[in-house]
Amino acid sequence: MVSPAIALAFLPLLLTLIIRYRYYFVLFYRAVLVRIWKDCVTGLSREERAFQYVLTNSTPGDPDSILDAFDYWCSKVEFISNIGPKKGKILDRLLMEQSPLTVLELGAHCGYSTVRIARALPLGARLYSIEMDQGNAAIAEKIIRLAGFDDDTVELIVNPSDEVIPRLRSDYNLERLDFVFMDHWKKCYLPDLQLLEGYGLLGKGSMIVADNVLFPGAPKFLRYLRKCGLYEWKIHRATLEYSRGIRDGMAELIYQGIK
């Protein structure tokens, strides 16, 4: 049994850790504990609960209204790791600057970033969005169509990215990707980037934007960028979506081709 004196000696250290990592404790509570409790109480997945809120608190055919409803739900009700409004504005700006005609999204999740990208595309552009989880893809499909985007603008592909990328040229007639947005499993960032390179889907000037490269982090992906010499790149520093005090960032890459 620990004596009171020893317990008191460790109290300052405990308080220091709680204060230093308070934002991570809040994130754990919102992202894990609340989710487990509400899964049990409602019998619905977190993504299904988000969809129900968006459906009843947004205007069909209005992408801005749908994103606003998502942002409110994720910041005030339950945490979902969308790109969020702050980093989303950086993505908006990059899309406006690039005006890409062919866009690939890796990780649709429940459709937030898909809608955000689709609303910024020029006339005649097409977005191919890959989501491996069938349940999440079903929600994303509803959100995308609720926002008013049809198959001619957004095509949702339900399969793992490492299975789809090698077939993009043969099955979808894609010769070059102008813009790629990565927001799926962070461990897949590097192998999927190398697949895109290997299958010749990137041309000089193709832009790749990768979210959450600092938290949870994609260290192998960043090490590769430093060493490979194929990209001009930089990190847009920000905080984690719908959170305070947790540093994060998005990587912006411009493919320069093989030298």
Side-chain angles (χ1 to χ4, degrees):
M1 185 174 179
V2 178
S3 70
I6 295 176
L8 286 173
F10 278 98
L11 186 58
L13 175 61
L14 179 61
L15 290 174
T16 299
L17 291 174
I18 290 173
I19 292 170
R20 177 174 295 179
Y21 296 105
R22 62 191 181 280
Y23 297 116
Y24 297 91
F25 291 132
V26 171
L27 177 63
F28 178 76
Y29 169 77
R30 295 190 65 228
V32 179
L33 299 183
V34 171
R35 178 181 184 177
I36 292 172
W37 175 63
K38 291 199 173 182
D39 283 354
C40 294
V41 170
T42 66
L44 300 173
S45 71
R46 177 181 57 179
E47 290 74 18
E48 289 170 325
R49 293 192 294 274
F51 171 70
Q52 286 188 345
Y53 181 86
V54 171
L55 184 63
T56 56
N57 291 274
S58 65
T59 304
D62 183 349
D64 292 346
S65 170
I66 288 167
L67 294 176
D68 288 343
F70 253 123
D71 288 333
Y72 182 87
W73 193 87
C74 294
S75 60
K76 303 296 183 182
V77 183
E78 289 188 62
F79 177 87
I80 284 186
S81 184
N82 299 316
I83 188 174
K86 293 182 180 179
K87 287 185 290 181
K89 289 180 181 178
I90 300 173
L91 178 63
D92 295 344
R93 176 175 57 80
L94 295 175
L95 286 163
M96 293 296 290
E97 291 172 356
Q98 288 291 107
S99 293
L101 292 177
T102 307
V103 181
L104 177 68
E105 177 185 36
L106 301 178
H109 197 184
C110 48
Y112 177 95
S113 55
T114 315
V115 170
R116 188 150 205 136
I117 294 169
R119 71 170 185 170
L121 295 182
L123 188 65
R126 193 162 195 206
L127 167 60
Y128 298 84
S129 183
I130 300 174
E131 173 55 52
M132 67 175 292
D133 185 281
Q134 292 188 354
N136 290 345
I139 299 297
E141 180 83 31
K142 295 175 184 177
I143 291 292
I144 293 163
R145 306 313 168 205
L146 183 68
F149 300 111
D150 59 20
D151 282 329
D152 291 333
T153 303
V154 180
E155 181 166 354
L156 186 62
I157 305 168
V158 187
N159 257 321
S161 54
D162 61 350
E163 294 180 12
V164 177
I165 291 172
R167 298 188 285 107
L168 286 175
R169 178 171 277 110
S170 60
D171 292 4
Y172 299 92
N173 298 314
L174 289 177
E175 295 297 324
R176 169 196 159 116
L177 294 166
D178 299 321
F179 195 101
V180 179
F181 179 59
M182 294 183 170
D183 195 14
H184 55 331
W185 291 105
K186 312 315 163 194
K187 66 181 181 180
C188 297
Y189 281 14
L190 177 55
D192 282 353
L193 180 66
Q194 292 175 325
L195 278 177
L196 292 171
E197 296 168 359
Y199 281 90
L201 292 163
L202 302 177
K204 186 174 177 61
S206 294
M207 177 178 284
I208 301 96
V209 175
D211 193 18
N212 303 127
V213 295
L214 300 182
F215 184 87
K220 292 182 179 179
F221 176 78
L222 294 179
R223 280 199 296 271
Y224 176 76
L225 296 183
R226 295 187 186 101
K227 294 179 180 179
C228 71
L230 298 177
Y231 301 91
E232 290 182 359
W233 66 282
K234 61 183 176 181
I235 301 292
H236 296 276
R237 296 185 179 273
T239 54
L240 184 69
E241 53 272 13
Y242 312 115
S243 299
R244 294 175 56 198
I246 299 177
R247 294 180 181 178
D248 191 19
M250 295 197 307
E252 174 196 336
L253 293 63
I254 304 292
Y255 186 66
Q256 300 300 304
I258 298 174
K259 299 179 180 179

